C-alpha cells in the first residue's frame, strides 16, 4: 500500500486537531442538553400520571382532550423555552469554534502549501517563498458565517419549535395507539433528543465549513504561489462514495468546494512547482487518489460501501465511482 504523501499527512494532522476541538464542544452540548431533560421530565411525569390515573378510574382519555389540556400546554411551553435557550448556547459555541477554525486556517494553509511543494532545495529558495497572511477580519467577512441572519441562525432557530412539536406528536400518537405511559415517556425522550442530534450535526458541519472557506481565502491571497486546490478525502470505508470519487481532483481557486452535512474533506493546495520559481528540484509525490484506493479494496469493503446493486454495476463496468458524484436537495 502506498505511503501517504507529506501534504496528505499534514492535512490529516490539521483535520484531527480541528475535530478534537469539535468533539470537546459536542461533549459540552450533550451535558447541557441533559439538563433540559432533567428539568422537563417532572412536567412530563405529572402529565402521564394524570392520564394513567384517569385510565385507572375507567375514564376514556382521548388524544384530543389531552391536546387541549393545560398540562400539555405548560409542558410544550417549557420544552420550547428550554430548547430555545439551548439553541442560543449552541449558537455561541459554534461561533467560537468557527472563529478558532478561521484562526487555524491561516497557519494550516501555509503548512499545507509548503508540504505540497516539497522541501526547498536551498536556503535561498526557502526564503524566496513568501506567504501573505490575510487579516482575520477579512477572513471572517469572506466566510460570512459569524453574522446574525446567516443560515446558522435560521437552522438553530428551528430547534425549539421542532422539539415541542416532536414531544406533542410522541404523546398524542402514544395515546392514540394505547401505549403504556412508560413507553410514551421513552418516545418523548427520543423526540426531544432530535434537536440535540441536529445541533451536533450543525456544529460539526459549520465548523469544518468555516475552516475550508478560510483556508481557500488564504490560498487566494497567495495566488502567486498557489494555482488551484485539490479535493482531499480520507481513504476509509466511512467516507461517502461521492467524496472518495472527488479525492485528488483539481479545481481553480475561484471555485468554492461543495460540501454535504458533516463532510470531513479538506481543500489542499496545488502550488506552483519549484521549477516554476526557477529552482531545479524534483516534483513532490501527491499520493494515490480516492478512486485508486477504492479499486484496491477487497470486495467485502466495496460492497459494504456501495450496497449490493451498485457494487454489481461497478464490477460489471456499468458505472464508475464518478457516477456517484452529485448534489440532491431535500427539505
Amino acid at each position: 500500500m502506498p505511503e501517504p504523501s507529506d501534504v496528505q499527512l499534514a492535512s490529516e494532522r490539521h483535520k484531527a486537531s480541528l475535530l478534537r476541538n469539535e468533539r470537546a464542544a459536542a461533549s459540552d452540548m450533550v451535558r447541557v442538553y441533559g439538563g433540559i431533560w432533567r428539568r422537563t421530565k417532572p412536567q412530563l411525569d405529572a402529565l402521564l400520571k394524570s392520564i394513567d390515573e384517569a385510565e385507572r378510574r375507567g375514564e376514556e382519555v382521548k388524544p384530543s382532550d389531552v391536546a387541549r389540556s393545560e398540562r400539555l400546554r405548560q409542558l410544550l411551553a417549557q420544552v420550547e423555552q428550554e430548547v430555545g435557550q439551548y439553541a442560543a448556547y449552541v449558537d455561541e459555541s459554534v461561533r467560537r469554534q468557527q472563529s478558532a477554525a478561521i484562526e487555524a486556517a491561516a497557519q494550516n494553509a501555509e503548512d499545507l502549501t509548503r508540504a505540497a511543494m516539497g522541501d526547498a532545495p536551498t536556503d535561498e529558495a526557502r526564503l524566496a517563498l513568501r506567504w501573505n497572511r490575510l487579516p482575520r477580519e477579512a477572513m471572517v467577512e469572506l466566510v460570512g458565517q459569524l453574522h446574525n441572519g446567516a443560515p446558522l441562525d435560521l437552522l438553530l432557530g428551528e430547534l425549539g419549535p421542532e422539539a415541542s412539536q416532536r414531544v406533542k406528536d410522541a404523546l398524542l400518537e402514544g395515546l392514540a395507539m394505547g401505549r403504556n405511559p412508560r413507553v410514551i415517556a421513552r418516545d418523548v425522550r427520543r423526540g426531544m433528543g432530535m434537536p440535540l442530534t441536529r445541533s451536533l450535526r450543525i456544529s460539526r458541519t459549520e465548523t469544518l465549513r468555516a475552516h475550508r472557506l478560510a483556508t481557500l481565502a488564504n490560498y487566494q491571497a497567495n495566488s502567486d504561489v498557489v494555482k488551484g486546490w485539490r479535493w482531499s478525502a480520507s481513504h476509509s470505508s466511512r467516507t461517502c462514495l461521492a467524496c472518495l470519487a472527488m479525492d485528488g481532483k483539481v479545481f481553480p481557486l475561484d471555485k468554492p468546494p461543495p460540501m454535504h452535512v458533516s463532510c470531513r474533506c479538506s481543500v489542499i493546495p496545488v502550488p506552483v512547482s519549484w521549477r516554476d520559481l526557477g529552482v531545479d528540484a524534483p516534483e513532490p509525490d501527491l499520493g494515490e487518489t480516492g478512486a485508486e484506493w477504492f479499486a484496491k479494496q477487497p470486495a467485502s469493503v466495496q460492497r459494504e460501501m456501495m450496497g449490493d446493486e451498485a457494487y454489481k454495476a461497478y464490477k460489471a463496468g456499468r458505472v464508475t465511482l464518478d457516477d456517484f458524484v452529485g448534489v440532491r436537495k431535500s427539505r
Side-chain angles (χ1 to χ4, degrees):
M1 180 181 294
E3 291 294 324
S5 67
D6 289 344
V7 69
Q8 286 173 323
L9 290 172
S11 176
E12 289 300 320
R13 282 197 303 271
H14 291 315
K15 185 162 57 180
S17 174
L18 202 62
L19 291 176
R20 277 196 300 273
N21 293 335
E22 187 270 337
R23 281 192 292 269
S27 295
D28 288 341
M29 288 183 200
V30 171
R31 175 181 53 76
V32 172
Y33 205 87
I36 292 176
W37 172 249
R38 289 191 298 274
R39 290 190 296 273
T40 306
K41 192 171 183 297
Q43 284 266 25
L44 175 63
D45 288 343
L47 175 58
L48 292 177
K49 182 180 179 181
S50 66
I51 293 170
D52 190 42
E53 289 174 347
E55 289 177 340
R56 289 177 188 277
R57 292 192 299 269
E59 300 172 6
E60 183 182 5
V61 181
K62 298 179 181 178
S64 57
D65 294 336
V66 175
R68 291 193 294 268
S69 75
E70 178 64 16
R71 281 191 182 276
L72 178 59
R73 190 195 68 77
Q74 291 174 354
L75 170 62
L76 298 181
Q78 183 183 358
V79 168
E80 190 155 339
Q81 178 184 8
E82 293 271 6
V83 176
Q85 292 173 349
Y86 168 76
Y89 169 81
V90 173
D91 181 84
E92 180 60 31
S93 174
V94 173
R95 291 179 196 279
R96 285 197 304 269
Q97 290 180 75
Q98 286 181 317
S99 182
I102 289 171
E103 295 280 5
Q107 185 61 52
N108 294 357
E110 181 177 358
D111 291 345
L112 291 174
T113 301
R114 292 185 183 277
M117 293 185 71
D119 293 334
T122 64
D123 290 339
E124 290 78 8
R126 188 179 299 107
L127 291 171
L129 178 58
R130 301 182 58 154
W131 188 260
N132 298 317
R133 289 296 186 96
L134 268 179
R136 183 182 181 282
E137 293 74 16
M139 281 197 289
V140 170
E141 187 65 32
L142 284 166
V143 174
Q145 285 299 294
L146 301 184
H147 302 294
N148 292 331
L152 175 62
D153 295 292
L154 301 179
L155 286 170
L156 294 175
E158 297 172 359
L159 295 182
E162 178 185 12
S164 63
Q165 185 61 49
R166 285 183 177 276
V167 168
K168 183 178 179 180
D169 290 346
L171 271 164
L172 299 185
E173 180 183 326
L175 287 170
M177 299 293 289
R179 292 177 183 144
N180 183 282
R182 287 190 297 274
V183 175
I184 295 175
R186 183 194 64 200
D187 292 342
V188 168
R189 183 169 188 175
R190 185 181 299 119
M192 276 194 66
M194 290 304 294
L196 172 62
T197 301
R198 192 170 177 204
S199 66
L200 293 172
R201 195 161 52 233
I202 290 170
S203 173
R204 167 166 288 198
T205 299
E206 294 303 323
T207 298
L208 294 176
R209 180 185 187 279
H211 184 265
R212 283 191 205 95
L213 295 184
T215 299
L216 187 58
N218 276 276
Y219 294 160
Q220 292 166 342
N222 291 276
S223 57
D224 56 329
V225 177
V226 181
K227 56 187 179 183
W229 61 270
R230 178 180 285 104
W231 190 289
S232 176
S234 296
H235 294 177
S236 81
S237 59
R238 293 177 54 214
T239 303
C240 77
L241 293 174
C243 289
L244 206 57
M246 296 288 282
D247 180 67
K249 295 189 184 298
V250 175
F251 301 89
L253 289 176
D254 60 357
K255 179 177 176 59
M259 293 166 277
H260 62 74
V261 172
S262 297
C263 183
R264 297 175 295 137
C265 296
S266 304
V267 292
I268 59 177
V270 178
V272 299
S273 66
W274 287 112
R275 289 177 181 173
D276 292 333
L277 298 176
V279 180
D280 186 24
E283 295 293 322
D285 173 38
L286 299 177
E288 67 181 357
T289 66
E292 291 168 343
W293 174 86
F294 184 80
K296 296 177 181 178
Q297 299 311 298
S300 59
V301 173
Q302 293 178 344
R303 187 186 294 272
E304 178 189 354
M305 295 178 69
M306 287 185 149
D308 288 338
E309 293 305 314
Y311 171 74
K312 291 175 185 176
Y314 174 77
K315 294 304 287 186
R318 297 196 301 272
V319 297
T320 68
L321 217 55
D322 283 335
D323 291 311
F324 293 88
V325 177
V327 177
R328 296 177 186 171
K329 294 189 178 180
S330 168
R331 292 190 63 186

